Amino acid sequence: MTRMEARRAARAAKESFAVIASRAVGEIFITFGVLMLLFVVYQLVWTNVQAGMEVDEAKSRITEDWAKGGSDAPKAFEAGEGFAILHIPKLDVAVPVAEGIDKEKVLDKGLVGHYAEGALKTAMPADKEGNFAVAGHRNTHGEPFRYINQLKPGDPIVVETRDTYYVYEMASILPQTPPSNISVLKPIPDGSGFKEPGRYITLTTCTPEFTSTYRMIVWGKMVEERPRAEGEPKALTG
């Protein structure tokens, strides 16, 4: 082989290596892109599908339990146990309420969680005074609270229990506050505009969308307590 041929062969070998390396890097980026796309699809689509099935099962368990009889007499619910259904007619939301705000046991299943532990313990709807506070996802995992920012004063929020419908009217909203601001859960919540003891509801969720940097808070005040035996309240029948 002449020197000229040897140089050409060496150049061809180098070019081949560069082509191979370039192709390998390209394939890595394509694979990474596909994985990222699958992750996004999982987060935005599949978690909602899974949550939808969990919500349907939880509703069935709650209604079956109610059908067995009993009463709304005070009792201690187990963490993750569903005990009510939250209706937000304007948003076409009807989601089970479970005890506690555990991410895995409650929120990631598409349920709404009742603040029920330690310093975050809040009232139940049947209590004659206090603030029934709940949390729910705004995005993914069923996203029951995605559009609560669209609620306006006077919009109904209904909590359905074994014996009773508790009807609240949306009163005010705090668009953004740090997660550390637990004063929004107080019996008379700070920032709500309420000035005296009453029967209140607080909805909390993450904001801005697709982040957990801050919390959005929606408050309501009870305006009706209706036995289920008398049928659905006007807030649900339209």
Side-chain angles (χ1 to χ4, degrees), residues 101-182:
I101 57 171
D102 184 270
K103 189 172 184 294
E104 182 178 344
K105 293 181 179 179
V106 178
L107 302 184
D108 282 359
K109 291 185 176 182
L111 312 182
V112 166
H114 171 229
Y115 287 93
E117 298 178 357
L120 301 182
K121 183 176 177 62
T122 65
M124 294 293 278
D127 293 340
K128 297 308 177 184
E129 283 186 1
N131 178 23
F132 177 60
V134 296
H137 277 308
R138 191 175 186 194
N139 299 111
T140 71
H141 298 93
E143 49 197 36
F145 284 175
R146 181 166 190 178
Y147 298 111
I148 62 171
N149 60 309
Q150 297 180 7
L151 293 175
K152 303 295 182 184
D155 286 338
I157 301 169
V158 182
V159 178
E160 178 185 4
T161 64
R162 182 194 303 270
D163 289 340
T164 309
Y165 291 101
Y166 299 93
V167 182
Y168 302 81
E169 284 187 354
M170 189 275 193
S172 59
I173 184 170
L174 180 60
Q176 183 172 295
T177 193
S180 58
N181 181 15
I182 62 174

Side-chain angles (χ1 to χ4, degrees), residues 9-40:
R11 189 180 302 116
K14 289 180 180 179
E15 290 175 351
S16 297
F17 176 78
V19 169
I20 292 172
S22 176
R23 185 182 298 116
V25 170
E27 290 177 352
I28 289 172
F29 277 110
I30 291 172
T31 301
F32 180 74
V34 170
L35 291 175
M36 287 298 295
L37 178 61
L38 290 174
F39 177 75
V40 170

